[in-house]
Amino acid sequence: MGKTVLHLVLALALILGAGSATAAPVQTSVPQTQQMAAKTLTGVRFGVSDEYERVVFDLTTLPAYEIYTENDGQTIVMFLSGAHSRAVQPKISGSMVENVHVSTVPQGIKVVLNLAAPAAYEVKTLANPTRLFIDVQKEYERITEEEPAPGLKLSTLRRLDERGRLTGWVLEADPARYRAVPVLAKGVVAGRATVSAMSDMARAVAAVNASYFAPSGDILGLLKMDGTVVGTTYFRRSAVGFDDAGKTFFGPVDYSGTVTLGRVRFPVGGVDAERGADSLVIYNHYYSATTHTNEYGQEYIIKGGRVASVSASNTAIPRDGLVISVHGKARDAFAQVKVGDSARVDEQMGALWETLPTVIGAGPMLVKDGRVHVTAAEEEFPSDITVGRAPRTAFGVTADGRYLLAVVDGRQSHSIGCTLQEMAEFMLQFGAVDAINFDGGGSSALVVGGKLENSPSDGAERAVGSALALLPR
């Protein structure tokens, strides 16, 4: 069983006049003459201020009452002793008070206030006219923790402040128990699947969406799996890399490459991506069974450092080789290449990244050396990523090297999402010393133990290009 820890950043409720915000009931009394008088609840009203949501009870005479909380402070219960009701159930339109229910019980009247989350409250009375009202403080923060498996800690944050409601999840993982690996949708680049499907396919203990992707599933950004590049970037963008021991490395990375067939060299336009005009693209077995190219190019099957055969289009990709696909100017450059010619591929991405077997490019950076460090401007990210609040996904590490897989919901009533700055602050709150932004929006999804934890903004999980999964060591 996982343990639950409750953090409330609000002060304990202050009870004015009578009542309590603790679980222990508090009895109050009024003079005997008042107890003998008619005690009638004539109305219940609701109002909102900048700091409180107020529920007002109009009474002919103030009865004895008791008040306490249930459901870990998320429900306020009040009894009005010996009273009866002529009140109509109130209409509630608050962010904290979800509903108020008034019912008649043998002892008098029972009132239940259901809250969006535990919150501080005050109880006050007024003599002329006779009223009792409860003020529920509007801002709150609650973090619950559980242990889905040994070496994993799942934290759920629910917060309400002047910006609105936020709900987010952070999974902390021990790298001594788990390794972080990228997973491709349906096992290939040219395809899309939900994070849940990829988690199930990899038999992962957890997974989040990772790289940016094209509608075809092609990875937008540098992706390196088992030492092989399966996606490239056209900008210098942030990435996270893992060595064989699971140690993480963060920083900017770019890619350049050349292919030499015979005596002709030409720059690489992409790896495992849709071939563009006048371009050269490298296809390896991670891409798909075939290249999915049209008839307007030429393709060279490479095996053992030689051109093994030549094909027109949609070539089968050998597991023990590559396909060099060319179009336009690139095709013209290799017009004299023939079977048996030598073949060489050179790829550069910086000394560090070339040594790491696993690299996931996304960005921008969010946290560096324990401080907010958002690099959206220098990495030339478009406004759909940089502007405003949105669902977000991030990956980070703590000072002792523990992994942090994080998701916040957005564009929904229960969560407004985060700006990049706010997402960096969110990661800092959970101990990140370095953190990078992954693809977000409707793609954001966190799956733990086969269960989707968050609520994607599309209304269901989006089919995405890749995921970062945690596998047992």
Side-chain angles (χ1 to χ4, degrees), residues 291-310:
T291 60
H292 301 299
T293 50
N294 60 34
E295 66 273 21
Y296 301 110
Q298 185 93 313
E299 298 187 328
Y300 301 91
I301 297 88
I302 310 302
K303 293 184 178 181
R306 296 280 174 181
V307 177
S309 59
V310 182

Side-chain angles (χ1 to χ4, degrees), residues 51 137 173 208 252 300 304 307 349 404 412:
E51 297 181 356
Q137 192 168 340
V208 291
Y300 301 91
V307 177
M349 61 200 78
L404 299 173
Q412 300 174 77

